[in-house]
């Protein structure tokens, strides 16, 4: 079934009994003022991924990595959710936890601030810190510190690190994600370039299920065609903050 570009504001009907899997990327937070990664003035324009978003980079220069995340924490403390975050929170309340699942690649807190009750942060969370020693029993904790005159250390003596999934590390809760992917009828990605795996591959699960006779749909909503556009049934182009409010209609 070829990917169709349909009018961006054409309502998306969620029919009785259908369940929804929503994957969000940096694009949903763009209108709140949080920088994306790969757009014009994206984060990766100023920083080499290898230096600030890999375990090797942290090993080599933890001060640089803490400076990178400290700057993002400081900026994230100044921003507010936008209508796209609030629209997803309203949809979650309307459908309930059985029929609505939100998985985000984002590490900011804007889904929660916009009213979402359950958010799976598959790439971790900006405002959580953990011990860098995997053998340490101390759990990740909420942390809004953004200046680090000295490197933060755990009671065990090891360096603390951002509770973020770096490149080369395994995203969190993949089994739960796969379970919900297999149970959903409608898969919607919002604001993601489709450049990072395994998240960019989730939509292919829907293709595979349709090839096995299941009645499933996949829709992309974002400013420009993502790298994995050909795997979606529909592409809706436009800013999430404008498109999302009122985009979904629910039939009980
Ligand atoms: C793993 C935390 C194994 C950091 C992040 C070769 C081929 C394929 C894969 C690989 C490969 N080599 C290596 C890999 C694997 C690698 C990968 O995918 N690399 C890519 C770069 C090739 N992946 C990994 O290492 C992952 N781990 O594979 O482990 C494994 C996996 C499963 C099971 C067992 C083993 C770990 C990846 C996680 C890395 N960490 N984040 C941090 O945030 O500081 S990824 C980083 O990119 C962010 O999390 C971000 O969310 C994510 C994806 O980016 P997007 O969200 O899509 O953001 P982007 O800027 O790219 O795009 C924004 C989009 O929004 C644009 O399309 C734009 O048009 C749109 N937009 C802009 N404004 C708006 C808008 N849309 C709507 N409205 C607007 N207003």
């Amino acid at each position: 079934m070829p990917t169709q570009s349909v009018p961006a504001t054409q309502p998306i009907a969620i029919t009785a009994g259908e369940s929804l899997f929503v994957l969000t990327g940096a694009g949903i937070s763009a209108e709140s003022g949080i920088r994306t990664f790969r757009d014009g003035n994206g984060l990766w324009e100023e920083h080499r991924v290898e230096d600030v978003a890999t375990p090797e980079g942290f090993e080599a220069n933890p001060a640089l990595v803490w400076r990178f995340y400290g700057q993002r924490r400081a900026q994230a403390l100044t921003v507010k959710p936008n209508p796209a975050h609030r629209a997803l929170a309203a949809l979650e309340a309307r459908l309930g936890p059985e029929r609505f699942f939100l998985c985000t690649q984002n590490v900011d807190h804007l889904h929660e601030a916009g009213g979402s009750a359950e958010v799976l942060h598959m790439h971790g969370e900006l405002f959580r810190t953990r011990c860098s020693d995997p053998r340490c029993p101390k759990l990740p904790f909420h942390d809004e510190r953004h200046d680090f005159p000295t490197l933060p250390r755990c009671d065990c003596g090891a360096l603390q690190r951002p509770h973020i999934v770096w490149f080369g590390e395994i995203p969190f809760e993949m089994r739960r994600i796969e379970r919900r992917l297999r149970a959903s009828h409608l898969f919607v990605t919002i604001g993601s370039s489709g450049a990072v795996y395994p998240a960019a591959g989730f939509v292919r699960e829907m293709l595979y299920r349709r090839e096995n006779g299941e009645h499933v749909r996949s829709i992309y909503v974002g400013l420009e065609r993502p790298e994995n556009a050909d795997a979606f049934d529909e592409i809706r182009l436009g800013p999430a903050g404008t498109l999302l409010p009122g985009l979904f209609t629910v039939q009980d």
Side-chain angles (χ1 to χ4, degrees), residues 24-28 30-31 36-39 44 52-53 68-69 72 105-107 123 164-171 174 178 190-198 220-226 238-241:
T24 60
I28 199 168
E31 290 159 86
T36 63
F37 292 87
R38 297 170 184 83
D39 287 329
W44 299 147
V52 294
F68 175 63
Y69 285 97
R72 289 172 67 192
Q105 299 173 88
N106 300 341
V107 296
H123 290 163
I164 295 268
V165 178
W166 285 325
F167 288 94
E169 296 184 319
I170 299 175
M174 285 302 294
E178 282 152 9
I190 300 162
S192 179
S193 61
V196 175
Y197 287 80
Y220 178 77
V221 180
L223 267 192
E224 59 216 344
R225 288 176 70 81

Side-chain angles (χ1 to χ4, degrees), residues 74 78 89 131 139 148 165 167 187 201-202 248-249:
T78 67
C131 180
L139 296 174
F148 297 95
V165 178
F167 288 94
F187 175 84
F202 292 171
F248 295 93
T249 60

Side-chain angles (χ1 to χ4, degrees), residues 139-163:
L139 296 174
F141 58 94
H142 183 77
D143 184 3
E144 295 187 5
R145 293 174 299 174
H146 44 77
D147 287 322
F148 297 95
T150 57
L151 287 174
R153 285 193 181 274
C154 176
D155 302 343
C156 76
L159 284 177
Q160 290 174 334
R161 60 164 280 179
H163 186 54

Side-chain angles (χ1 to χ4, degrees), residues 9-12 83 87 242-249:
T9 52
Q10 180 179 309
I12 299 173
T242 309
L243 292 188
L244 279 199
L247 185 60
F248 295 93
T249 60

